[in-house]
Amino acid sequence: MSSKNSKKNSTNFLKSKKLGFILAAIQGIVTIIFAGFLIYLNIVPAKILIPFLFILVLFLGYDIFSQFSKKFRTSGKVIAVIFIIILLIGTFLVIKANQLFSGISGSNTKTDIICVYVLKEDPAATLGDVADYNFGILETIDRKNTDNTISKVNTTIGKEIATNAYGDMISLADALLNGEVGAIILNSAFVDTIADDDEHLNFAEQIRELESVSFTTTIKDTGVGNITTEPFSVYISGIDVYGDISTTSRSDVNILATVNPKTKQVLLVSTPRDYYVQTTVSGSSYDKLTHAGIYGVDCSMGTLSNLYGVDVQYYFRVNFTGFEKVIDALGGVTVYSDESFTTYHGGYSIAQGENNMDGKKALCFARERYSVSGGDRGRGKNQMKVIKAVIDKACSPAILNDFNGLISSLTGSFETNMTSDEISSLVKMELSDMASWNIVQYSVDGFGDSKTTYSTPNSHAYVMQPDMSTVETAKQLQQQVLNGETIAEPAPVAEHSN
């Protein structure tokens, strides 16, 4: 009997030992995969990565050698199972982070959607139905995309369409509304610009898209040498839509961030959307800053670069969807408001002082200009407050609370021309020193006026004439950050009455 028990115990021991080695082997494979992805992603500094990998190897060694001891083999199996689960989850998150960096980074293109529009009540259902229509087009603005669209339309319907050219967007819109032409070919980003005109507020509701063609253009690479040591500037653009983030569109948020990674200084300069400036496409003519966005994010970058006299190497674009999702994934943010008010969108009550906000509330707070002092200038200040709150939260351990959710929230609703290596190096730098950043905010000012613009040259629109003294102050602050000087919060600007 004792011989049988001995054999049984021996068999059980061998089975248990075999299971332990299998678990240890799986743990070893998962450890190698996880370590490989972690090294490939290159976001963890060596002073953290090396000890971490050493600990993983130590536990793997324990789980292997514990199987030779009856006393420790059970604990070895338990630890192996725990590490397998943890490492699988870790590998999944590292892969998702890598996909995120690849998905949002290196965006060096812009997309223009050129549409064939007819009146809403027009019975036409296909391009074939409008083959004999006269098509209205813009004479010079966005002409390359227009000509390419005409070529595609001609190919589709098998004949050359008749076109009438107009000098500006308003004249083109009127030609369609008055029946002068049966259809127009127009960049979809221009529709909202036409609707800015007081006599065309409902233009978007009066027309219908019959066909669309997308054109993608490469944006010039303007990155710096080493983003962790050299100062740089980032154009932060908030798109006022829920659609495709890469599509050209007006920008309601125009913030220029000047960053010095060595001194941990960030200067946020807000420029009102209606600032009356020379854009990179308008030549000697002037236009609203927000209109620069309809010609591409590179136009907005170049326009701000010319206004402030600094190189703008990078851009970040986010739309409404992404804005809400990022803040929710961070578990909300705490934002300080200078005044109490109720938001027009959403009807949220904002108290003077600190406010805890989820994504929707923060978006409504950042969009508000009717109920805040200074109108659009006040909105710009509040937008910078939200950005500061997001940076503070993202640089804190709280970011780990829902890392998976944060990664998911950024995908598809946020883009930048920073490369994945540049983003990784910034994350790695922050993990290495966990330093706090000095974030200073400043808003340039101006006074209201009514002027023609490059985009709508035959009608007057509200614009904000720049107060050049505030522009000069912004320039000085930017140069201080670029030169490595520590800056303090500047005194508030006395706002002009409109």
Side-chain angles (χ1 to χ4, degrees):
M1 182 70 69
S2 61
S3 177
K4 288 183 179 181
N5 287 338
S6 177
K7 287 183 179 180
K8 185 178 180 180
N9 290 336
S10 177
T11 301
N12 290 337
F13 176 77
L14 290 174
K15 287 182 179 179
S16 178
K17 186 177 180 181
K18 183 177 181 181
L19 176 61
F21 282 132
I22 292 173
L23 289 173
I26 296 173
Q27 180 185 351
I29 293 170
V30 176
T31 298
I32 292 171
I33 294 173
F34 175 72
F37 275 113
L38 204 59
I39 294 170
Y40 175 76
L41 189 58
N42 194 30
I43 62 172
V44 181
K47 69 179 184 180
I48 298 176
L49 180 62
I50 293 174
F52 179 66
L53 294 180
F54 180 71
I55 291 172
L56 289 181
V57 172
L58 280 181
F59 273 100
L60 177 60
Y62 172 81
D63 294 339
I64 293 173
F65 290 106
S66 66
Q67 299 312 303
F68 293 101
S69 169
K70 182 177 180 180
K71 182 179 179 180
F72 296 109
R73 66 173 182 263
T74 300
S75 63
K77 293 188 190 73
V78 172
I79 292 174
V81 170
I82 292 173
F83 266 85
I84 289 170
I85 294 172
I86 292 174
L87 291 171
L88 285 173
I89 294 173
T91 301
F92 170 74
L93 292 177
V94 170
I95 292 173
K96 288 202 68 174
N98 184 52
Q99 291 174 340
L100 168 67
F101 289 173
S102 300
I104 67 172
S105 63
S107 178
N108 61 344
T109 61
K110 60 180 179 180
T111 301
D112 289 286
I113 300 176
I114 316 301
C115 300
V116 175
Y117 292 108
V118 295
L119 291 175
K120 190 174 183 178
E121 62 272 15
D122 193 300
T126 66
L127 284 178
D129 297 333
V130 297
D132 296 324
Y133 284 19
N134 280 338
F135 283 69
I137 62 173
L138 287 171
E139 189 169 21
T140 57
I141 297 175
D142 203 34
R143 191 55 194 259
K144 182 178 179 181
N145 284 329
T146 299
D147 288 342
N148 288 336
T149 303
I150 291 173
S151 178
K152 287 183 178 292
V153 170
N154 289 342
T155 301
T156 300
I157 65 178
K159 61 175 289 189
E160 282 195 20
I161 59 173
T163 60
N164 294 351
Y166 297 87
D168 65 277
M169 299 176 194
I170 301 298
S171 298
L172 178 65
D174 285 338
L176 178 63
L177 296 174
N178 298 334
E180 211 173 293
V181 295
I184 60 173
I185 294 175
L186 184 69
N187 193 315
S188 63
F190 297 174
V191 173
D192 286 336
T193 302
I194 294 172
D196 275 345
D197 181 71
D198 289 341
E199 296 181 4
H200 297 81
L201 297 176
N202 299 318
F203 182 67
E205 286 74 46
Q206 295 175 292
I207 61 175
R208 176 168 55 86
E209 178 188 318
L210 190 65
E211 189 67 61
S212 66
V213 182
S214 296
F215 298 104
T216 300
T217 308
T218 300
I219 298 173
K220 182 181 178 182
D221 182 16
T222 55
V224 299
N226 188 337
I227 202 168
T228 62
T229 59
E230 298 179 36
F232 58 90
S233 294
V234 184
Y235 168 53
I236 301 172
S237 171
I239 309 302
D240 62 347
V241 294
Y242 284 91
D244 186 349
I245 189 64
S246 64
T247 304
T248 55
S249 173
R250 296 183 308 172
S251 180
D252 270 4
V253 178
N254 298 282
I255 294 173
L256 193 58
T258 306
V259 183
N260 192 315
K262 278 190 173 181
T263 60
K264 308 299 181 185
Q265 294 277 313
V266 178
L267 171 67
L268 301 176
V269 174
S270 175
T271 310
R273 67 189 295 276
D274 294 321
Y275 234 41
Y276 200 46
V277 293
Q278 288 179 298
T279 71
T280 56
V281 300
S282 63
S284 59
S285 299
Y286 285 73
D287 207 337
K288 294 185 180 187
L289 174 59
T290 187
H291 287 171
I294 67 178
Y295 304 108
V297 68
D298 52 337
C299 181
S300 298
M301 293 169 68
T303 299
L304 289 175
S305 178
N306 292 339
L307 177 64
Y308 295 112
V310 295
D311 291 332
V312 183
Q313 296 91 354
Y314 301 105
Y315 70 83
F316 284 83
R317 299 180 85 209
V318 63
N319 60 12
F320 287 169
T321 305
F323 186 91
E324 291 181 11
K325 289 166 65 177
V326 168
I327 290 177
D328 285 338
L330 286 170
V333 293
T334 300
V335 183
Y336 186 90
S337 176
D338 294 328
E339 58 188 318
S340 300
F341 61 91
T342 300
T343 63
Y344 176 80
H345 298 282
Y348 290 100
S349 295
I350 306 298
Q352 191 277 329
E354 292 188 342
N355 294 261
N356 295 320
M357 301 182 183
D358 60 8
K360 288 186 180 298
K361 186 174 182 178
L363 176 61
C364 293
F365 173 80
R367 293 180 67 187
E368 186 59 45
R369 60 172 170 163
Y370 299 107
S371 302
V372 296
S373 302
D376 192 47
R377 290 161 293 195
R379 174 169 64 172
K381 293 176 182 177
N382 286 340
Q383 289 166 351
M384 290 190 293
K385 290 178 184 294
V386 175
I387 290 174
K388 182 180 184 301
V390 169
I391 293 174
D392 288 341
K393 193 71 174 284
C395 291
S396 71
I399 195 175
L400 301 176
N401 291 341
D402 187 12
F403 187 63
N404 182 36
L406 180 62
I407 291 174
S408 299
S409 71
L410 290 171
T411 305
S413 53
F414 169 84
E415 71 173 8
T416 177
N417 62 338
M418 280 187 182
T419 66
S420 57
D421 286 342
E422 286 174 324
I423 295 175
S424 296
S425 64
L426 286 176
V427 174
K428 189 175 183 179
M429 177 187 70
E430 185 61 27
L431 288 174
S432 179
D433 53 33
M434 293 302 290
S436 60
W437 290 72
N438 179 37
I439 304 172
V440 174
Q441 306 166 42
Y442 184 74
S443 298
V444 295
D445 199 14
F447 56 90
D449 200 355
S450 179
K451 291 285 186 179
T452 60
T453 68
Y454 169 76
S455 300
T456 55
N458 293 322
S459 63
H460 281 69
Y462 172 82
V463 301
M464 182 179 286
Q465 294 281 7
D467 178 342
M468 294 309 297
S469 67
T470 64
V471 173
E472 287 302 318
T473 298
K475 288 182 178 181
Q476 293 170 13
L477 291 169
Q478 289 165 341
Q479 287 303 316
Q480 285 180 277
V481 174
L482 294 173
N483 294 337
E485 299 175 34
T486 300
I487 58 175
E489 200 81 34
V493 176
E495 294 175 353
H496 296 269
S497 59
N498 291 335

